[in-house]
Amino acid sequence: MLPILYSFRRCPYAIRARLAIASAQQQVALREVVLRNKPEAFLNVSPSATVPCLTTTDHVIDESLDIMVWALTQSDPEALLQIPEDGLLMIERFDGAFKKALDHTKYAIRFPELDAEDARAEAMHILAQLEPRLAQNPWLFGTRPRLTDLAILPFVRQFAMIDKPRFDREALPATGHWLDRFLSSERFTRVMEKHIPWSPNSKDVVFPAVNPA
Ligand SMILES: N[C@@H](CCC(=O)N[C@@H](CS)C(=O)NCC(=O)O)C(=O)O
């Protein structure tokens, strides 16, 4: 039986889990969840009721980063796990301070006590710290993406999409190219394929597909 991945197409945490699973070529049965109508089967297994959530015959992995590491520990043909310690610290910064600033910008209406422009400036400031690296190399640690790129980019995408023309005007050039390179990559296109929401009667969606078009 394949492991089951509860996922939501646009969720940045779920996107990064799918990116790692696709790179590892570790097949799962993908169940697309509608967050405002979470299926019973998902709620029964997921301790946090958040996506992504991966279940195997003997365990449940409820954190996207843990799902990435689980997949890549089975098989890592692109050596995504080969990152320096710095790479983990960067992920922490983006999961923490950057995601907070992103939410305060994107969902400004929920935070009337905060200034959305300050939050945006904070996110841009954190992002700008990547520029020196990206000015040297197309990806954070060289000529190929690694775990750090794939863990961070879905959040940079979410931030940029709040107002892409403005992002394109204001982002530092190498950082903008890094995001655009990711958005136009085949790997991103493949993990963003649409699936109809899962229900107990659905047929399994095998991800990644056996023979991608
Ligand atoms: N720490 C979790 C966070 C996952 C998360 O917050 N996912 C959001 C969707 S992007 C979610 O499922 N929210 C629950 C909801 O909206 O009800 C992880 O890394 O997997």
Side-chain angles (χ1 to χ4, degrees), residues 90-105 119-120 122-128 130 152-160 167:
M90 285 181 197
I91 297 175
E92 259 176 49
R93 196 175 326 127
F94 275 78
D95 282 6
F98 183 82
K99 176 63 172 146
K100 200 161 155 192
L102 152 57
D103 286 348
H104 290 164
T105 313
R120 186 184 170 84
E122 171 65 11
M124 291 299 279
H125 172 71
I126 297 170
L127 202 51
L130 303 181
I152 289 177
L153 274 161
F155 296 93
V156 177
R157 167 186 182 264
Q158 193 180 38
F159 176 72
F167 183 85

Side-chain angles (χ1 to χ4, degrees), residues 8 11-13 16 35 38 42 49-52 62-65:
F8 172 58
C11 164
Y13 298 99
R16 72 183 183 183
L35 291 175
K38 297 173 184 161
F42 167 65
T50 61
V51 291
D62 200 36
E63 287 290 331
S64 53
L65 202 52

Side-chain angles (χ1 to χ4, degrees), residues 46-61:
S46 165
S48 66
T50 61
V51 291
C53 177
L54 183 115
T55 65
T56 66
T57 41
D58 54 3
H59 57 287
V60 176
I61 310 178

Side-chain angles (χ1 to χ4, degrees), residues 176-206:
H177 291 140
W178 174 61
L179 175 64
D180 288 338
R181 196 173 301 120
F182 171 66
L183 295 180
S184 59
S185 67
E186 196 202 325
R187 83 171 63 224
F188 178 69
T189 308
R190 278 185 62 193
V191 305
M192 293 306 281
E193 274 168 19
K194 290 190 176 161
H195 303 288
I196 55 167
W198 178 83
S199 81
N201 308 319
S202 307
K203 257 185 73 182
D204 271 357
V205 171
V206 177

